[in-house]
C-alpha cells in the first residue's frame, strides 16, 4: 500500500470556527468545525440486522487480499460486559480478510448503493452515516466508515480504487489495566489506489461527563466488548466524525452519551486535489495485525443532505455606501 502523509493545515484562517467541546485531542493536527446545514438530513436507508441481511449487502475490500470476510448474524454480540444494544442480533465479521496475508480490510456496502442501485447520486452527494459497533480485540480491531467510493475488479475480489476511509484503532482492553489511555483515529483519502493520511490523532472521549461505556469513570478511550455508535457527516467537502457511548441493558430503552466530536477536516482542493465523486458507502472492519477480530455491527443508517451546496449564512448583508 502506497501512503503519503500530509500535515493538516489549521483552518481558522479560512474563517471557520475552531472545534469546541469536551473532547481532548492529543497529537492531532489543527481542526475546524465542519459547516453543516441547519436542521437534520433525511433518512434514506436503514437496516437493523435483527430482521436479517442476506442479499441486502455486498462485500468489497480496502486492500486486495482476496479472502472474503465471514459475515454472519449472531444472536448475542461479542460482549462480556453486560452492556449491549437493544436488538437481539448483530452482524459479526469473523475473518477480516486477514488470511490473505495482511492487516485485514473488509467493507460491507448496502446493495442499494451499488452502481445502478435505487439510491440516486443526488442522495449520495452529501451524507450522514451512523451505525453501532462493538470492537472485539484490544489493539487489534479497526472499525470505521468508507464513502464516496468506487471499486475495481482485481480478480480475487473488488477493491476500493477512489474513496475516503475513517477508522478507529488502538482499542483498549476491558480489564482497566490501561486506565486513562487514549484511542486513535485515522482519515485517509485514496486516489487511484494511492492513500494519503489527511488527519490522524488520539482522543479521550471519557473527558465528557456523559461518557458511559464502562462502570469505571477512569476509562477514557474506546474499549473492547463495549458498544458505541459512530456518526460521519460529509457535506460539500466538509467532514466531521463523532462518537457516542450507550447502555441498553438488554431492554428497549437505551441511555446514550452526548455526541462527541473526534475530528473535523476540509478536503481543500489546493492541498489534496479534487473532491472525490459520490459513490458507495459502507461499514469498515479490519485489524491492526494479521489476527482475526470479530467486530460486531448493528443499526446502520444512511441520511442525505441533498446535492446542493449552500454556503453558511453571513452575519451581515452585502455592504453598500450611504446615500
Amino acid at each position: 500500500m502506497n501512503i503519503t502523509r500530509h500535515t493538516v493545515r489549521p483552518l481558522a484562517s479560512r474563517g471557520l470556527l475552531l472545534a469546541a467541546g469536551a473532547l481532548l485531542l492529543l497529537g492531532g493536527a489543527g481542526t475546524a468545525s465542519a459547516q453543516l446545514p441547519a436542521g437534520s438530513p433525511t433518512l434514506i436507508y436503514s437496516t437493523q440486522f435483527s430482521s436479517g441481511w442476506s442479499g441486502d449487502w455486498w462485500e468489497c475490500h480496502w486492500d486486495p487480499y482476496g479472502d472474503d470476510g465471514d459475515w454472519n448474524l449472531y444472536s448475542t454480540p461479542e460482549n462480556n460486559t453486560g452492556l449491549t444494544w437493544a436488538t437481539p442480533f448483530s452482524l459479526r465479521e469473523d475473518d477480516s480478510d486477514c488470511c490473505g496475508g495482511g492487516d485485514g480490510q473488509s467493507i460491507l456496502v448496502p446493495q442499494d448503493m451499488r452502481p445502478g442501485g435505487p439510491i440516486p447520486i443526488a442522495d449520495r452527494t452529501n451524507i450522514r452515516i451512523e451505525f453501532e459497533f462493538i470492537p472485539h480485540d484490544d489493539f487489534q480491531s479497526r472499525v470505521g466508515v468508507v464513502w464516496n467510493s468506487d471499486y475495481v475488479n482485481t480478480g480475487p475480489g473488488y477493491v476500493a480504487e477512489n474513496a475516503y476511509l475513517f477508522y478507529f484503532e488502538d482499542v483498549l482492553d476491558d480489564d482497566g489495566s490501561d486506565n486513562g489511555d487514549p484511542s486513535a483515529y485515522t482519515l485517509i483519502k485514496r486516489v487511484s489506489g494511492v492513500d494519503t493520511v489527511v488527519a490522524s490523532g488520539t482522543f479521550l472521549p471519557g473527558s465528557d461527563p456523559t461518557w458511559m461505556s464502562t462502570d469505571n469513570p477512569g476509562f477514557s478511550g474506546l474499549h473492547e466488548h463495549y458498544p458505541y455508535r459512530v456518526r460521519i457527516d460529509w457535506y460539500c467537502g466538509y467532514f466531521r466524525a463523532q462518537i457516542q457511548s450507550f447502555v441498553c441493558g438488554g431492554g428497549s430503552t437505551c441511555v446514550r452519551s452526548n455526541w462527541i466530536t473526534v475530528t473535523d477536516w476540509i478536503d481543500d482542493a489546493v492541498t489534496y486535489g479534487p473532491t472525490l465523486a459520490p459513490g458507495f458507502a459502507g461499514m469498515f472492519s479490519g485489524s491492526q495485525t494479521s489476527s482475526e477480530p470479530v467486530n460486531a455491527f448493528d443499526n446502520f443508517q444512511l441520511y442525505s443532505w441533498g446535492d446542493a451546496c449552500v454556503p453558511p449564512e453571513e452575519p451581515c448583508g452585502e455592504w453598500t455606501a450611504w446615500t
Side-chain angles (χ1 to χ4, degrees), residues 25-291:
L25 291 175
L26 302 176
T31 60
S33 294
Q35 297 192 15
L36 301 174
S40 300
T42 301
L43 179 65
I44 59 173
Y45 181 90
S46 64
T47 292
Q48 251 188 351
F49 294 119
S50 56
S51 61
W53 76 289
S54 178
D56 297 334
W57 291 79
W58 170 70
E59 186 190 12
C60 64
H61 310 274
W62 187 253
D63 287 328
Y65 297 135
D67 178 29
D68 282 349
D70 184 14
W71 292 87
N72 289 296
L73 284 176
Y74 284 81
S75 59
T76 303
E78 185 66 29
N79 178 14
N80 60 10
T81 63
L83 307 179
T84 185
W85 39 58
T87 55
F89 288 90
S90 66
L91 188 65
R92 206 163 73 168
E93 213 277 295
D94 277 351
D95 184 66
S96 256
D97 299 343
C98 77
C99 303
D103 53 357
Q105 320 288 348
S106 185
I107 307 166
L108 201 64
V109 180
Q111 289 278 11
D112 288 0
M113 295 200 76
R114 295 187 69 181
I119 298 178
I121 292 296
D123 286 343
R124 307 173 187 222
T125 304
N126 301 303
I127 58 176
R128 169 177 290 175
I129 302 164
E130 293 186 17
F131 60 84
E132 293 164 2
F133 67 94
I134 293 178
H136 178 271
D137 292 309
D138 59 296
F139 295 101
Q140 293 182 10
S141 290
R142 283 175 172 161
V143 175
V145 183
V146 173
W147 74 99
N148 279 32
S149 182
D150 57 14
Y151 57 85
V152 293
N153 189 344
T154 62
Y158 294 93
V159 177
E161 175 75 0
N162 299 279
Y164 300 97
L165 165 63
F166 175 85
Y167 62 83
F168 297 103
E169 63 180 353
D170 289 351
V171 174
L172 306 176
D173 197 285
D174 60 4
D175 65 3
S177 60
D178 37 28
N179 224 12
D181 288 345
S183 293
Y185 67 88
T186 299
L187 174 61
I188 293 173
K189 181 178 181 179
R190 171 175 287 184
V191 179
S192 299
V194 178
D195 293 348
T196 298
V197 176
V198 297
S200 62
T202 56
F203 65 104
L204 293 171
S207 60
D208 186 291
T210 67
W211 190 256
M212 64 183 73
S213 64
T214 79
D215 58 1
N216 183 339
F219 277 19
S220 295
L222 305 185
H223 286 258
E224 62 176 350
H225 307 140
Y226 286 87
Y228 306 97
R229 186 168 183 86
V230 60
R231 170 187 285 174
I232 299 298
D233 284 307
W234 175 256
Y235 183 79
C236 301
Y238 297 97
F239 165 82
R240 181 181 68 185
Q242 296 179 299
I243 193 165
Q244 180 185 71
S245 63
F246 64 95
V247 178
C248 299
S252 59
T253 300
C254 299
V255 178
R256 298 179 180 272
S257 74
N258 295 329
W259 281 108
I260 298 173
T261 298
V262 177
T263 190
D264 299 326
W265 175 70
I266 296 176
D267 193 0
D268 178 6
V270 174
T271 305
Y272 306 108
T275 300
L276 299 180
F280 67 75
M283 303 180 298
F284 170 84
S285 178
S287 173
Q288 293 178 240
T289 69
S290 59
S291 65

Side-chain angles (χ1 to χ4, degrees), residues 294-312:
V294 190
N295 301 317
F297 300 82
D298 203 4
N299 299 324
F300 178 94
Q301 293 180 318
L302 174 67
Y303 298 81
S304 176
W305 299 98
D307 60 352
C309 292
V310 180

